[in-house]
Structure formats: structure tokens, C-alpha cells
Amino acid sequence: KIEIRFTHTHTTSDGMLPAIASHIRRAHILPAPGAVDKVAGFYSALFSREWAEACVAELEGAGELGMRAGWVPEVTVRRELFLGVQKSERIRKLEVLKAGPSRLWCRGPQGIQFTLTVADEENCHAEECAPFGEQPRSRGVLNWADIAVDKDTEREMAHFTEVVFEWRVARPIALPGNKGLYITALNSSGEVENRHKLCGIVPHEVLTPSRPTSNFIPMFAVENEETVKELFVVAQAHEAKVLMPPAAADGRITLLEDPWKGAFGLYCRTDDWNTAKEATVLSNDIRTEETCTM
């Protein structure tokens, strides 16, 4: 188990921690049958053996459940929401594949796979320290993600995250060249500063036209911009495919595809966690909201 200690914690004006329950706690990898050691070896070379032991795991009966190999994000939610999802058969395009007392294995629109766990005192405020600014730049810490979807379904996925995770989403931004929409998902605080942002929702063709095994694309922190370059070389030496070479994007990022077609990013973020971008405006109804321009 990897223990991550945060050195700063955001508080409200009265000094209390806001009760925000839902965030992406970590990303697990579900390897193809028989590939767990190879997958663990690849990510051990990039991050550490301890990281691989914590995040690479086989799920007994995954094949019978119809689960694909690839990334499976763990999303924490309020206990009431967890119980509601566990019992509900009315949430459109949600399948509960396996239910346990503290974890649900689920599938959503376009086959996105994720687990739901109950937020507790240990993890319910983790999003207040991640993914920006004051978060320690520990290699392998999840510091952003994108959900890749079919073009013209960005609103549908955003609405799904509102219903199932209680996330807030920003007004869609129209991408240049008629490439679709980019939608930012935020936690349930109703605030728009960078520290409240969780992930983006974007068409496949923008980031991953090769269609990797998972439509969840995690981005992992590295210590500095030089480390992005170093690990970019290490990943290629271990047969990773380059989807995007190192580039400037609120820091330095590269997007790669592991030998099993799992897309992921190495990301040194430099944006301020207390800053709110002008284009980040919360949506009132993502299904009908007008788009903003970049």
C-alpha cells in the first residue's frame, strides 16, 4: 500500500474542511489474463515496484463479468449515493457488474469501467489537495485524467457523471476544427478553482484516435519537466507507443500507450491550484448548455 501524505489542506473561511465526498481516488489496471507480471514490470520501470503492487491487480471472474483489460478508476462517493447506486436499476446506461459491502464494479456509457467506494474520514478530502499546486509531486500520483468518448456524446457522458458521481461540469468548450467539445468535470463543491477540477471529457479523435483498451486516460505526476523527458525515453525503451510527445500544457505533458494499448500520461503540472480559469463556468444543464469558444 502506498501512503501519500499531503502537506497543505484547503479550508473554508470558517476554518472547517468542506464535506466534498466524490473524487477520483486512484487508477487501477486490470491486466489481460496471464499478463499481470508483464504489466507490473512495465509500470515498475516508470514509477516503482510498490506503485505496481498497489495499482496492478487481477479481478477474479472479470471475464465472466464482461470486463475488459485496462484502466479502472476508483471513484469515492457519499454512502447514501453508494447505496442508491447499488439498489438502483433506473440509472440510464449504468450496470453494476459486481457488488460488495464497500465496493461496486460498474460499467457506464460506451463501456467505461469504474469502481465506486464509500468516502470516509481518511479519503473524503483528498481532492482538496489534488491534483494541483500544493500536492507533492510524487511520481505516479494521479494528477489529472481524461475520459475519451465518441464525438457528439460528450454531453451524455458529462450528464452521466453528474447523476452517478454527483460531479459538477463546466459549460462545454467547442474545439477548433469542428473536432467536438471539451467538458471539464469538477467535484461537488460548486467551486471552479483548479483544485476542484477532476478530469476532462473529450472526443477520442483529439487524444486517442487509435482507440486504446480503456476510455479512461489517467495522467500521473512526475517530479519536474526533465523527468517527463527521461520517463518518455524509458517508456519507449519498454515498447510504449507515443501518442503525443512532450508538450507544454499548464506544465509539461506526454501521452503514451503501453504495450497492452492502455493510454496514460506523464504530467508535470505547474498551474496554481487557487486560480480559476475564465473559461471554467459551471453548467446549469449540460444537456442544453450553449458552448463556449477557446
Side-chain angles (χ1 to χ4, degrees):
K1 181 180 179 181
I2 299 176
E3 183 179 5
I4 302 169
R5 294 186 179 274
F6 297 100
T7 55
H8 292 70
T9 302
H10 172 67
T11 58
T12 58
S13 58
D14 59 3
M16 299 297 290
L17 284 167
I20 301 169
S22 184
H23 63 281
I24 306 172
R25 190 177 184 192
R26 60 171 63 91
H28 297 279
I29 309 171
L30 182 60
V36 62
D37 291 338
K38 292 181 179 179
V39 175
F42 176 87
Y43 286 99
S44 293
L46 286 180
F47 303 137
S48 68
R49 180 179 298 177
E50 292 77 15
W51 188 98
E53 288 175 351
C55 296
V56 181
E58 292 181 294
L59 170 65
E60 184 178 354
E64 289 78 3
L65 295 174
M67 297 190 73
R68 306 187 314 270
W71 295 105
V72 182
E74 177 186 340
V75 181
T76 68
V77 295
R78 294 183 300 109
R79 180 173 297 279
E80 294 80 4
L81 182 61
F82 178 90
L83 295 174
V85 170
Q86 188 177 33
K87 297 175 182 178
S88 177
E89 297 179 355
R90 295 180 295 176
I91 299 177
R92 188 169 178 264
K93 296 192 176 181
L94 172 68
E95 297 177 78
V96 177
L97 304 174
K98 182 177 180 179
S102 59
R103 184 183 300 269
L104 303 177
W105 293 82
C106 304
R107 182 164 51 223
Q110 301 181 45
I112 187 170
Q113 301 174 152
F114 57 92
T115 64
L116 288 184
T117 57
V118 177
D120 55 31
E121 291 183 0
E122 178 185 353
N123 66 40
C124 69
H125 300 294
E127 77 287 350
E128 289 300 305
C129 301
F132 298 97
E134 303 302 330
Q135 181 193 54
R137 293 179 180 174
S138 302
R139 185 181 301 185
V141 172
L142 185 72
N143 71 346
W144 187 247
D146 280 309
I147 300 174
V149 298
D150 297 334
K151 187 183 175 186
D152 300 325
T153 66
E154 302 94 330
R155 294 175 189 272
E156 177 188 25
M157 182 64 77
H159 181 60
F160 179 85
T161 67
E162 287 182 314
V163 173
V164 178
F165 306 143
E166 293 185 325
W167 292 352
R168 300 294 306 273
V169 297
R171 290 179 184 171
I173 296 174
L175 296 169
N178 195 32
K179 290 185 177 180
L181 303 177
Y182 189 90
I183 302 175
T184 299
L186 303 96
N187 61 35
S188 58
S189 67
E191 304 295 334
V192 297
E193 289 85 2
N194 287 335
R195 65 179 177 272
H196 296 287
K197 296 179 179 179
L198 300 175
C199 68
I201 298 168
V202 62
H204 276 288
E205 63 183 83
V206 175
L207 290 182
T208 53
S210 60
R211 296 297 181 106
T213 54
S214 172
N215 40 11
F216 179 79
I217 306 169
M219 313 290 174
F220 297 107
V222 296
E223 296 88 335
N224 50 54
E225 295 190 8
E226 284 301 314
T227 309
V228 174
K229 299 176 185 177
E230 293 169 8
L231 293 184
F232 176 71
V233 174
V234 171
Q236 290 179 87
H238 286 79
E239 302 181 3
K241 176 182 175 182
V242 178
L243 299 178
M244 184 181 73
D250 292 326
R252 201 75 177 167
I253 186 172
T254 183
L255 192 61
L256 301 156
E257 186 176 275
D258 68 26
W260 303 272
K261 294 200 69 177
F264 67 99
L266 302 171
Y267 206 173
C268 173
R269 299 202 66 97
T270 58
D271 43 351
D272 180 8
W273 79 325
N274 291 312
T275 297
K277 292 186 177 179
E278 185 176 348
T280 308
V281 179
L282 290 180
S283 168
N284 294 316
D285 186 347
I286 193 62
R287 294 166 294 184
T288 61
E289 196 79 60
E290 293 184 4
T291 59
C292 304
T293 56
M294 296 188 72

